[in-house]
Amino acid sequence: MIYRTHNCGELSRKDIGKEVTLSGWIQKIRNLGSLFFIDIRDYFGVTQLIISKKSVKKNFFLGKEFLIKVKGKVVKRLSKNNNIPTGEIEISVSHIDLLNSSLSLPFSIENETDGNEEIRMFYRYLDIRRNPIKNNLILRHNLSLETRNFLSKNGFLEIETPTLINYTSEGARSFVVPSRRHPNKFYALAQSPQLFKQLLMIGGIDKYFQIVKCFRDEDSRSDRQIEFTQIDCEMSFVEVHDVLIFFEHFIKHIFKEIKNISLDPFPSISYYDAIKMYGTDSPDIRFGMPFIELNDLIQKKNINFLKIQELVIGIKINKSHNTHEKINFFLKKIKNPNFFWIKYLYDRTFIHSNQNFLNKEIIKIFVKHFEAIPGDLLFFSYGKEKKAREELGKIRIKIADFLNLKNPNVFKPLWIKDLPLLEWENESKKYKSVHHPFTSPKEEDIDFLKNNPENIRSKSYDLIINGIEIGSGSIRIHNKNVQNLIFKHLGLSQKEIEYKYGFFIKAFEYGIPPHGGIAFGLDRLVNLLEGNKNIKDFIAFPKNNYGKDIMINTPSFLEKEKLKELHLR
């Protein structure tokens, strides 16, 4: 090979004495008078070069990130570097060629860089040279490869589905694409392959998967991009139990193969129990602290002020989780009027928030009920049921963050089942789907479709790991009458149903099997595996939090002629 006989990460003691050729970027230069020491880097690693000034032409300038090719002999390194695989050798360079020079760098190409996120995204190609980003992309590749291998071995067929589809108003906002050939008509970029994977099941495909790019015109966040990647799956002749068992096995396999982590069995709770116990439908269960309902106790003990509240709930933080100084600082920051706390001190006295109704007798009632021991801290929320749960849920997470209870090396998966099928939207004065319009209601709740649709539970499930929604799915409707009824509850007229979903409803007349599936967010999953907090670090060319790619300056304006060609002017 012209440019290299070896890469910069493979040479070791066994290669001492070999004549080699290496090519790569200059990471570091150390000028010791008569000698240069250069660290040369490529995709595979770093190798140290030693170059005599006598062997370099006059006015031959080298700088960081210059691309060079060198020839020389592998020799024993006097000062070993045990932090890199090539740390026992160096290359005594006999010849050097400059392949390409580089401008001064906008940020350092180091593991700990001095570049902020904006500048690194502007020069993303330079950021990819850094080990953290490169290794993240390698991890993503390994996850995708392991997913393909596992699902293929288990009878899943990888099938591509269309990206350009019809626009529908249900769900999140879609990106629309004007058609040049069909004036005043538009495609939409697919938010998911939902209908197509269901049509594949109708087509007799038994198990389908796809690692697929999806698009939603939403505000970007640290855990969300406007274009994102799903591990999308569907199975025929399954019920909820079958899907949960198989994909628990899949996630356990991924964690074991990618990170050598063995996960415990996945517990499951209903959506309603998740809200009741944690105030959220995506609870982090690493640190416990479920809500304790106190209304019965308050009525029994006749605690007057709290008796009139719709709900009173509390949580206990063990003494092992807090320090006096930390908690005191945290307590001073809480400004919620429907909230109070009790600290049980080591001398068996108490301090508490300044609520008029709290007295020694009431405090003792709560301490006894929670079986608190000296050093424990009790938090309480009261008021309207929904608000009280939401507020205590937020406090619970803040406490966990403040006391560092979220161990990044511990992973606690949890299935959330039986989410509501529909929810009322005050703004539009109609129901909307909690998952999507094709989610099957539970059989025992179907009668509610006529009069109380908000009471219907669905055959749906979300996989939550450490408080993050990693996957979401459901058993699908396979009854034409039920599907039409759901569409009507969503406010669609018969004409709209026919226009938007006529092709899909028609397929129901040709023997649709029971089926269901799930989609996992690949970006979120790889981010979780690495314990990071920003999915942009695991995407080669991400958008920023405003949906812009600042490197290529998109979105951008179109020229008038192009707008005219697309019938937009």
Side-chain angles (χ1 to χ4, degrees):
M1 295 179 69
I2 296 174
Y3 290 108
R4 59 188 182 190
T5 57
H6 299 78
N7 66 56
C8 295
E10 67 177 306
L11 296 170
S12 62
R13 287 185 65 180
K14 65 179 173 36
D15 300 300
I16 289 174
K18 287 183 180 178
E19 293 287 338
V20 298
T21 302
L22 301 180
S23 292
W25 290 270
I26 293 176
Q27 175 120 349
K28 291 179 182 177
I29 301 177
R30 296 177 295 284
N31 188 343
L32 300 184
S34 61
L35 294 174
F36 286 115
F37 284 92
I38 294 177
D39 287 349
I40 183 176
R41 182 197 72 246
D42 65 6
Y43 171 85
F44 301 95
V46 175
T47 298
Q48 180 169 283
L49 313 176
I50 181 169
I51 306 173
S52 169
K53 276 194 177 177
K54 294 178 182 179
S55 64
V56 179
K57 296 176 183 178
K58 287 185 177 181
N59 301 321
F60 186 76
F61 176 75
L62 295 175
K64 283 188 176 183
E65 297 305 304
F66 278 40
L67 194 64
I68 58 174
K69 181 180 82 170
V70 297
K71 293 181 180 180
K73 182 182 286 188
V74 181
V75 297
K76 185 178 180 180
R77 184 167 170 167
L78 296 180
S79 56
K80 293 181 182 179
N81 182 352
N82 295 322
N83 295 320
I84 56 175
T86 60
E88 291 188 279
I89 60 93
E90 59 191 8
I91 310 301
S92 178
V93 174
S94 57
H95 183 79
I96 183 169
D97 288 321
L98 176 64
L99 300 179
N100 247 317
S101 60
S102 172
L103 295 173
S104 297
L105 294 173
F107 56 87
S108 60
I109 310 297
E110 303 285 350
N111 289 356
E112 297 295 329
T113 183
D114 54 1
N116 60 35
E117 182 178 273
E118 183 176 2
I119 196 73
R120 289 190 295 110
M121 289 184 69
F122 190 84
Y123 295 97
R124 187 61 168 180
Y125 45 88
L126 295 179
D127 202 26
I128 291 172
R129 292 182 188 177
R130 297 193 309 116
N131 281 332
I133 302 299
K134 179 193 74 175
N135 292 337
N136 287 346
L137 296 179
I138 293 171
L139 181 70
R140 185 187 177 104
H141 162 78
N142 291 337
L143 173 58
S144 298
L145 185 62
E146 200 59 50
T147 294
R148 283 194 164 93
N149 289 340
F150 180 88
L151 293 175
S152 299
K153 287 175 183 177
N154 281 277
F156 284 74
L157 191 64
E158 184 171 14
I159 303 175
E160 292 183 352
T161 54
T163 300
L164 293 172
I165 63 170
N166 271 343
Y167 173 82
T168 60
S169 57
E170 289 72 43
R173 287 184 296 271
S174 295
F175 287 98
V176 293
V177 181
S179 170
R180 177 183 59 83
R181 295 289 302 274
H182 304 280
N184 301 317
K185 291 187 177 182
F186 296 82
Y187 302 100
L189 296 182
Q191 294 187 28
S192 82
Q194 184 62 46
L195 290 181
F196 293 100
K197 66 178 179 178
Q198 290 190 241
L199 290 168
L200 287 171
M201 299 301 103
I202 298 172
I205 301 298
D206 194 65
K207 298 184 185 75
Y208 140 96
F209 85 97
Q210 185 180 185
I211 298 178
V212 58
K213 185 75 79 172
C214 301
F215 305 86
R216 290 181 186 170
D217 187 7
E218 297 179 323
D219 296 335
S220 293
R221 300 194 307 237
S222 62
D223 65 343
R224 177 187 293 167
Q225 289 268 294
I226 57 175
E227 53 176 315
F228 57 97
T229 305
Q230 286 185 177
I231 302 169
D232 198 62
C233 308
E234 197 79 4
M235 308 163 76
S236 286
F237 303 106
V238 292
E239 263 299 341
V240 171
H241 177 76
D242 306 305
V243 177
L244 300 196
I245 290 295
F246 179 82
F247 285 103
E248 175 176 333
H249 182 41
F250 165 68
I251 292 294
K252 284 180 174 178
H253 175 83
I254 291 296
F255 271 77
K256 186 64 178 176
E257 292 299 314
I258 302 297
K259 300 295 286 186
N260 196 27
I261 294 171
S262 297
L263 297 176
D264 293 332
F266 297 8
S268 66
I269 60 174
S270 73
Y271 166 87
Y272 300 95
D273 283 341
I275 298 296
K276 185 177 180 180
M277 294 168 64
Y278 302 105
T280 175
D281 60 358
S282 52
D284 190 337
I285 60 172
R286 280 175 292 179
F287 46 88
M289 295 195 295
F291 298 170
I292 306 292
E293 295 198 5
L294 301 165
N295 287 54
D296 288 346
L297 174 71
I298 284 159
Q299 294 296 328
K300 182 179 177 181
K301 297 296 184 180
N302 197 30
I303 303 175
N304 288 327
F305 174 75
L306 296 177
K307 278 174 67 176
I308 63 173
Q309 304 301 324
E310 187 173 299
L311 180 69
V312 183
I313 47 178
I315 55 175
K316 180 174 74 171
I317 298 91
N318 293 330
K319 66 174 184 177
S320 59
H321 287 332
N322 65 76
T323 64
H324 185 71
E325 296 79 12
K326 268 194 170 185
I327 283 295
N328 286 347
F329 178 77
F330 178 74
L331 294 176
K332 290 176 183 176
K333 296 173 67 177
I334 298 175
K335 304 296 182 185
N336 191 325
N338 290 356
F339 193 83
F340 64 97
W341 53 267
I342 299 169
K343 174 83 172 178
Y344 191 10
L345 302 178
Y346 288 98
D347 63 2
R348 298 188 179 274
T349 60
F350 312 99
I351 57 173
H352 56 81
S353 52
N354 188 27
Q355 262 82 359
N356 293 331
F357 62 85
L358 279 180
N359 58 42
K360 191 173 183 179
E361 288 70 29
I362 292 174
I363 290 171
K364 285 183 176 179
I365 289 170
F366 287 133
V367 167
K368 182 179 180 182
H369 187 76
F370 277 87
E371 298 180 347
I373 61 174
D376 285 352
L377 183 64
L378 308 179
F379 283 85
F380 302 84
S381 180
Y382 60 87
K384 293 292 184 181
E385 180 174 352
K386 184 179 179 181
K387 187 72 171 176
R389 293 193 195 282
E390 286 178 355
E391 291 302 316
L392 191 58
K394 292 174 184 175
I395 290 291
R396 177 179 174 271
I397 295 300
K398 286 180 181 178
I399 292 168
D401 286 331
F402 194 76
L403 298 178
N404 298 317
L405 303 182
K406 296 180 178 180
N407 187 337
N409 299 313
V410 172
F411 297 91
K412 292 289 185 181
L414 175 70
W415 289 111
I416 304 294
K417 301 192 302 182
D418 303 344
L419 284 80
L421 186 73
L422 303 167
E423 63 182 2
W424 183 255
E425 201 171 49
N426 284 322
E427 189 175 329
S428 61
K429 302 298 180 186
K430 63 181 182 180
Y431 288 103
K432 71 172 186 177
S433 298
V434 172
H435 261 204
H436 53 63
F438 319 106
T439 301
S440 175
K442 292 176 75 77
E443 282 84 358
E444 57 267 40
D445 290 354
I446 284 180
D447 288 344
F448 289 129
L449 276 173
K450 296 175 182 176
N451 299 314
N452 299 294
E454 65 275 3
N455 293 336
I456 304 171
R457 295 167 298 165
S458 65
K459 290 185 176 182
S460 57
Y461 32 82
D462 292 343
L463 180 61
I464 310 300
I465 305 180
N466 295 359
I468 301 167
E469 182 189 308
I470 294 300
S472 183
S474 67
I475 301 301
R476 322 305 186 186
I477 297 168
H478 63 277
N479 179 291
K480 179 180 177 180
N481 294 331
V482 173
Q483 184 64 78
N484 275 321
L485 198 52
I486 295 298
F487 283 147
K488 288 177 180 177
H489 274 302
L490 295 173
L492 297 175
S493 66
Q494 191 59 46
K495 186 177 180 180
E496 287 176 311
I497 295 170
E498 185 61 36
Y499 178 74
K500 294 178 179 179
Y501 302 109
F503 71 97
F504 184 62
I505 294 297
K506 185 70 175 175
F508 276 56
E509 298 173 355
Y510 294 94
I512 177 171
H515 61 287
I518 193 168
F520 299 96
L522 188 146
D523 311 303
R524 285 188 184 180
L525 182 55
V526 68
N527 185 50
L528 176 76
L529 282 163
E530 198 60 15
N532 202 289
K533 292 186 178 180
N534 195 333
I535 62 171
K536 290 193 282 290
D537 289 338
F538 295 86
I539 299 171
F541 299 100
K543 305 289 189 292
N544 68 11
N545 286 353
Y546 301 97
K548 295 180 68 174
D549 185 327
I550 59 177
M551 180 183 68
I552 65 172
N553 192 29
T554 187
S556 58
F557 293 105
L558 285 178
E559 296 173 353
K560 289 182 180 180
E561 286 302 312
K562 189 64 180 175
L563 291 172
K564 186 176 179 181
E565 182 182 344
L566 294 170
H567 315 287
L568 297 175
R569 281 284 174 92

